[in-house]
Amino acid sequence: MMKRTTAVIIELIPVLSVISALLLLKRDADSPFLRIITMIVFIFAFFGFVAFFIGRKLAREDKAVKILGVLDWISTAIIVGIYVLAFFVMAIW
């Protein structure tokens, strides 16, 4: 049971990070502290695929871990998409 709980917590980190990253990206305030927090949250969200593998190793057959694993891959794809979009905007500008 402890492995399942640990796996679910690890799997939740990228999902919550991508939500908070999108909220922090839309903020109006500009401070060095918020930039550091945003960067850390983006890194946690980007490494969702790592959480997927760790969660699968800890709790293989758990349905919650499987669903959160899919959300981890989606969170990684969202962050990569944001960076690709940023590169396109910078190239056009």
Side-chain angles (χ1 to χ4, degrees):
M1 188 66 174
M2 188 64 169
K3 284 186 177 183
R4 179 188 181 275
T5 306
T6 305
V8 168
I9 290 171
I10 290 172
E11 295 271 343
L12 275 175
I13 290 172
V15 176
L16 296 176
S17 293
V18 78
I19 293 168
S20 59
L22 293 175
L23 292 175
L24 285 171
L25 191 64
K26 197 160 170 61
R27 73 186 188 279
D28 289 335
D30 189 29
S31 70
F33 177 72
L34 285 177
R35 286 184 192 167
I36 292 170
I37 296 297
T38 304
M39 183 175 50
I40 291 169
V41 168
F42 265 89
I43 290 170
F44 280 149
F46 178 72
F47 286 110
F49 64 93
V50 175
F52 168 78
F53 291 120
I54 292 171
R56 291 291 285 224
K57 187 165 179 95
L58 289 176
R60 287 194 189 274
E61 299 300 322
D62 189 39
K63 191 174 269 193
V65 172
K66 288 181 182 180
I67 293 170
L68 287 171
V70 171
L71 292 176
D72 288 341
W73 282 102
I74 291 172
S75 69
T76 302
I78 288 172
I79 297 300
V80 169
I82 288 173
Y83 277 112
V84 167
L85 184 64
F87 286 132
F88 282 142
V89 167
M90 294 304 284
I92 291 173
W93 191 345

